[in-house]
Amino acid sequence: MIPIGVKESCWTLCILVRVCIAALWMATGVSVVTATMAPSLCFVPAASRLAAPARPRQQQQQQQQHELTMSLDKDIIYHPPASTETKKPPRRERYNGRYPRNFGDKYKEHEGDADTIAKVLAKGMTPAGRHIPILLKECLYHLGLSSQQDDALQSSSSISSQPLLVVDCTLGYGGHSSQILKALGEAEKGSRLVAFDQDSLEIVKTEERLRAVLRELMNMNMNMNGTGPGAGAIPTTKEEEIIFTAVNQNFSTLASYLRETDQLGKVTSLLADLGLSSMQIDDNSRGFTYKREGPLDMRMNTDSSTETAYHLLCRLKPKQLQAMLAENSDEVFASEIASALLEKKGKKGANAIVPETTVELAERVRDTVRPLLQDKKQQQKKLSSGAVKKLLDSTVARVMQAIRIEINGEFRVLDQLLEDLPHVLVPNGRAVFLTFHSGEDRRVKKAFKAGFKNGIYSSWSSDVVRPSSKERRDNPRSSCCKLRWAIRSDSKDASVADII
Ligand SMILES: C[S@@+](CC[C@H](N)C(=O)[O-])C[C@H]1O[C@@H](n2cnc3c(N)ncnc32)[C@H](O)[C@@H]1O
């Protein structure tokens, strides 16, 4: 028993200490607390104390104890002061006009605001920071992961009753891959997905998104099975790794990756959805679009030491640029555009005249081609101003595409993948390629046709699969897409030389 007098003095002392600390908070605005102080005196910011509704003493103490534990757990011994005024969120950067135009300003779309996203989709556009997968059902069907083109999620065991090994060469936003994971959920145990992307900026976000999809799927399975202590538990990263691996590499390294991981010749389905994702196109700071000002960069892999589009233009001679525009984009005005882009190079000092931004390049191309169209116009019927604008824009798009193909070595790595494909696939394994321009489709067609002739592929799509008119309307970016597929022959004779 503590004598009454001592108890009262303790309370008085306690109250005195509290008053002093409160005065100190008010005077300095700083809450310096050490972990040795009594929990009832610690870690409650002044503002929340003022605002806190009256609570029973014991409950308050429990809450304060919890806050202390949490803070100590995180190794925090200093809390910045909580102002007594309500803090305003930082002001967003202002943009011109009523609606944001730049990728970074479209914060409602980035934050996933449902109303804004619905409005953007209704306009046939892609919300910022997203990518709408193209020919999704058709891809799953030709990959052997769905039994019907119009019923994407019914898995098919047409390849074998063995676990499936699916490779997505171009992960992007993960639109195709998330559906592949769902299909694998219904396939044999041990089925897995390996997904490549060379874009280190986007692959991190996509991997996180797909891990969430995977966790949801695994929870659903566990809950459905209702098995043991694991039911409904969140699986560890290690467990997820078995099923889904994201590889931040160029797909030209696929064969060596598979060899090193003892998976060469075991791939049951392979998807390559070539080109750029919408996130890359729409982000003007990456320099892929001529519609907004941005640096002439155009690298998909920003980590590597590969040169930017600007540096490429600085290095090329007009004849080389002309050949590149003709080869990569079948550009009819290649000669005129090449001399205009590298105009007077060297006369005003090194590279002074080479365009540095996307908009500068677009203007230079338009100014060059406009009079050439007018010359043509005199021989043909008169073109409306709308038609001229369209022709000029498509010329700019072709020029940018040609430069982008060069910067990213797109034809070289596609040729490499097509060459490795027969070694990568298991007998009866399937490959699906989505291409977006004639240079890509020509290569895929040629490789599949030759492989079929040699008995490497048992069948292939001599006719391309195209998006429906509804898909093209809903997602105009799908308009120029062509799907081709091939199935690896199961004949032993068709085996090809080792690629070591
Ligand atoms: C059209 S997007 C894929 C979209 C994806 N199918 C989806 O539904 O979200 C193409 C992606 O492939 C990547 N890519 C293009 N060429 C590549 C290559 N050679 N190696 C690895 N990734 C590549 C790009 O960075 C981009 O993210």
Side-chain angles (χ1 to χ4, degrees):
M1 275 288 276
I2 303 166
I4 300 287
V6 175
K7 200 174 174 185
E8 277 172 352
S9 334
C10 279
W11 275 114
T12 317
L13 188 64
C14 190
I15 288 164
L16 264 176
V17 172
R18 280 167 171 253
V19 169
C20 287
I21 286 181
L24 191 67
W25 275 350
M26 301 261 185
T28 62
V30 175
S31 154
V32 182
V33 184
T34 64
T36 51
M37 280 186 172
S40 64
L41 301 177
C42 298
F43 287 94
V44 184
S48 61
R49 274 178 166 255
L50 292 176
R55 280 178 295 181
R57 187 181 172 77
Q58 197 187 353
Q59 202 183 327
Q60 265 188 25
Q61 279 182 347
Q62 277 172 358
Q63 172 66 19
Q64 288 160 1
Q65 176 71 56
H66 173 69
E67 282 165 357
L68 171 71
T69 318
M70 295 290 286
S71 304
L72 291 177
D73 279 354
K74 291 183 200 155
D75 275 349
I76 297 167
I77 55 168
Y78 169 76
H79 273 247
S83 156
T84 41
E85 294 159 29
T86 354
K87 266 203 169 167
K88 284 185 189 165
R91 185 181 277 278
R92 294 191 194 279
E93 291 236 349
R94 289 199 176 279
Y95 46 80
N96 290 333
R98 198 163 162 203
Y99 299 107
R101 294 174 67 82
N102 281 335
F103 183 76
D105 294 335
K106 299 184 176 184
Y107 62 88
K108 284 194 177 176
E109 293 165 49
H110 288 293
E111 286 168 6
D113 180 76
D115 281 353
T116 312
I117 288 182
K119 279 182 200 157
V120 175
L121 288 171
K123 282 191 221 160
M125 288 156 69
T126 306
R130 296 188 178 212
H131 178 95
I132 303 169
I134 297 173
L135 288 168
L136 180 58
K137 291 178 177 179
E138 293 81 353
C139 284
L140 290 165
Y141 175 72
H142 291 293
L143 287 169
L145 299 171
S146 152
S147 53
Q148 286 168 25
Q149 292 214 40
D150 55 359
D151 187 5
L153 293 182
Q154 269 185 28
S155 68
S156 134
S157 54
S158 56
I159 294 174
S160 71
S161 54
Q162 298 297 309
L164 304 178
L165 169 56
V166 182
V167 171
D168 182 349
C169 294
T170 49
L171 178 62
Y173 188 77
H176 289 101
S177 271
S178 59
Q179 294 302 321
I180 290 172
L181 281 178
K182 286 181 189 168
L184 291 189
E186 294 174 28
E188 279 298 304
K189 206 162 173 241
S191 294
R192 56 203 185 279
L193 167 67
V194 178
F196 275 64
D197 203 301
Q198 60 177 329
D199 185 336
S200 50
L201 299 174
E202 291 297 336
I203 196 171
V204 180
K205 294 182 235 168
T206 303
E207 182 175 3
E208 202 175 302
R209 225 174 3 253
L210 288 195
R211 294 239 169 266
V213 170
L214 196 53
R215 265 194 288 274
E216 214 172 280
L217 281 171
M218 290 182 84
N219 273 337
M220 263 168 50
N221 281 346
M222 288 178 189
N223 287 335
M224 277 191 304
N225 297 339
T227 45
I234 293 177
T236 65
T237 310
K238 205 160 173 240
E239 282 169 309
E240 290 170 6
E241 279 297 323
I242 298 166
I243 295 173
F244 168 55
T245 312
V247 185
N248 183 200
Q249 282 178 30
N250 196 299
F251 59 58
S252 60
T253 65
L254 175 65
S256 50
Y257 172 87
L258 293 173
R259 192 181 310 111
E260 279 159 23
T261 52
D262 195 24
Q263 300 180 98
L264 191 62
K266 296 181 183 170
V267 173
T268 50
S269 316
L270 177 143
L271 172 68
D273 175 9
L274 300 172
L276 296 173
S277 69
S278 292
M279 295 87 75
Q280 292 166 329
I281 298 171
D282 295 339
D283 184 350
N284 47 314
S285 72
R286 301 195 63 172
F288 288 114
T289 174
Y290 64 90
K291 292 183 180 161
R292 313 235 184 293
E293 184 83 303
L296 268 187
D297 189 322
M298 300 197 198
R299 289 169 303 160
M300 285 191 223
N301 176 2
T302 49
D303 278 352
S304 74
S305 55
T306 48
E307 63 185 348
T308 64
Y310 171 71
H311 290 126
L312 174 78
L313 289 182
C314 290
R315 179 171 61 78
L316 289 181
K317 298 204 164 52
K319 278 272 172 237
Q320 291 171 313
L321 180 58
Q322 178 188 340
M324 195 191 89
L325 294 175
E327 164 71 16
N328 292 359
S329 282
D330 303 323
E331 179 50 56
V332 282
F333 299 121
S335 158
E336 293 86 343
I337 293 171
S339 11
L341 287 181
L342 307 180
E343 194 186 14
K344 294 180 207 144
K345 190 173 167 182
K347 281 196 181 162
K348 276 197 193 171
N351 311 322
I353 305 293
V354 174
E356 286 182 40
T357 71
T358 49
V359 168
E360 267 179 48
L361 178 131
E363 283 307 305
R364 190 83 64 89
V365 172
R366 285 194 190 101
D367 290 348
T368 311
V369 175
R370 196 176 289 111
L372 301 173
L373 286 179
Q374 273 156 7
D375 287 350
K376 266 194 153 186
K377 211 166 61 178
Q378 286 166 0
Q379 297 151 21
Q380 299 164 3
K381 66 178 174 96
K382 199 170 162 21
L383 291 169
S384 67
S385 61
V388 170
K389 185 182 176 305
K390 243 182 163 175
L391 281 171
L392 292 177
D393 280 353
S394 58
T395 310
V396 175
R398 275 197 308 278
V399 170
M400 301 251 323
Q401 175 184 287
I403 299 173
R404 190 202 85 201
I405 289 171
E406 193 68 20
I407 282 296
N408 296 288
E410 291 178 36
F411 288 158
R412 182 178 45 79
V413 296
L414 176 57
D415 288 342
Q416 182 70 56
L417 180 63
L418 289 166
E419 197 182 313
D420 292 347
L421 192 59
H423 312 268
V424 160
L425 292 175
V426 73
N428 288 327
R430 292 155 180 257
V432 171
F433 280 69
L434 298 185
T435 63
F436 292 85
H437 54 86
S438 56
E440 289 173 341
D441 184 55
R442 256 198 314 265
R443 286 171 159 77
V444 176
K445 182 179 173 182
K446 199 172 148 201
F448 284 180
K449 193 175 177 181
F452 177 66
K453 218 172 151 193
N454 297 342
I456 291 170
Y457 299 116
S458 58
S459 52
W460 74 293
S461 55
S462 46
D463 289 334
V464 288
V465 180
R466 303 293 307 259
S468 65
S469 52
K470 178 176 182 328
E471 177 162 8
R472 284 187 304 221
R473 212 173 34 249
D474 290 348
N475 178 16
R477 283 185 177 164
S478 68
S479 301
C480 49
C481 180
K482 289 180 180 168
L483 181 156
R484 286 195 193 269
W485 54 264
I487 302 179
R488 177 80 168 86
S489 160
D490 64 355
S491 146
K492 294 276 178 287
D493 300 343
S495 67
V496 276
D498 266 346
I499 49 162
I500 298 171

